[in-house]
Amino acid sequence: MMNDEYWMQQALKLAQKAAEVGEVPIGAILLDENQTAIAQAHNHPIYLNDPTAHAEILVLRQAAQVKQNYRLPGTTLYCTLEPCAMCAGALIQARVDRIVFGAFDARSGALVSVCQLLNHPSLNHHAKVVGGICEQESVKLLQNFFKQRR
């Protein structure tokens, strides 16, 4: 059965690919309402010279093209690290229904850790958030990457 752990494992494989090309190891996958993967990506800001090329943003761009719609209701995002404010804002704009992440981000996590952007009362879209799925694997991948960089 394909559950949260299964999909997070797939996102972790993408994160590993990011590390292999020198990008911060973050991977993301977006599932549609039928639990089918419609987009997947890993971080690419260095390669693309694009500060917005986070895994989550790239996945939303791909999925919008697949669905031919900038709104993505009924979807679930799997991401190896808690999304930042930029990505959280994009997830709100896309109307993603559920966000599942691995590691909490004490520096810039915008869903739980630093702020709870998706819970802001004035927003007209609120997603379900699940954090800590395969957390240790996500943390280890990030820690190993940054140890090698230092």
Side-chain angles (χ1 to χ4, degrees), residues 31-88:
L31 305 185
D32 66 11
E33 57 279 347
N34 299 315
Q35 299 299 297
T36 301
I38 57 171
Q40 60 183 23
H42 60 72
N43 265 16
H44 255 319
I46 298 167
Y47 176 77
L48 295 174
N49 295 309
D50 180 354
T52 70
H54 290 193
E56 302 95 322
I57 300 293
L58 297 174
V59 160
L60 292 176
R61 289 176 182 160
Q62 286 176 26
Q65 292 302 307
V66 167
K67 291 291 193 177
Q68 289 294 289
N69 193 339
Y70 72 108
R71 301 281 197 220
L72 302 167
T75 57
T76 299
L77 176 84
Y78 288 88
C79 188
T80 58
L81 182 67
E82 180 181 358
C84 69
M86 174 184 69
C87 293

Side-chain angles (χ1 to χ4, degrees), residues 9-132:
Q9 288 296 322
Q10 304 313 304
L12 282 162
K13 289 176 186 174
L14 294 165
Q16 181 60 49
K17 288 182 182 179
E20 291 167 7
V21 297
E23 298 277 3
V24 175
I26 300 170
I29 298 176
L30 192 75
L31 305 185
D32 66 11
E33 57 279 347
N34 299 315
Q35 299 299 297
T36 301
I38 57 171
Q40 60 183 23
H42 60 72
N43 265 16
H44 255 319
I46 298 167
Y47 176 77
L48 295 174
N49 295 309
D50 180 354
T52 70
H54 290 193
E56 302 95 322
I57 300 293
L58 297 174
V59 160
L60 292 176
R61 289 176 182 160
Q62 286 176 26
Q65 292 302 307
V66 167
K67 291 291 193 177
Q68 289 294 289
N69 193 339
Y70 72 108
R71 301 281 197 220
L72 302 167
T75 57
T76 299
L77 176 84
Y78 288 88
C79 188
T80 58
L81 182 67
E82 180 181 358
C84 69
M86 174 184 69
C87 293
L91 292 163
I92 292 165
Q93 293 301 315
R95 304 297 193 260
V96 171
D97 281 352
R98 187 167 177 259
I99 301 154
V100 181
F101 66 87
F104 291 82
D105 186 350
R107 288 189 177 146
S108 59
L111 304 185
V112 177
S113 300
V114 175
C115 63
Q116 295 81 42
L117 191 60
L118 296 176
N119 291 335
H120 197 281
S122 65
L123 293 175
N124 64 350
H125 177 73
H126 301 277
K128 295 178 187 87
V129 175
V130 178

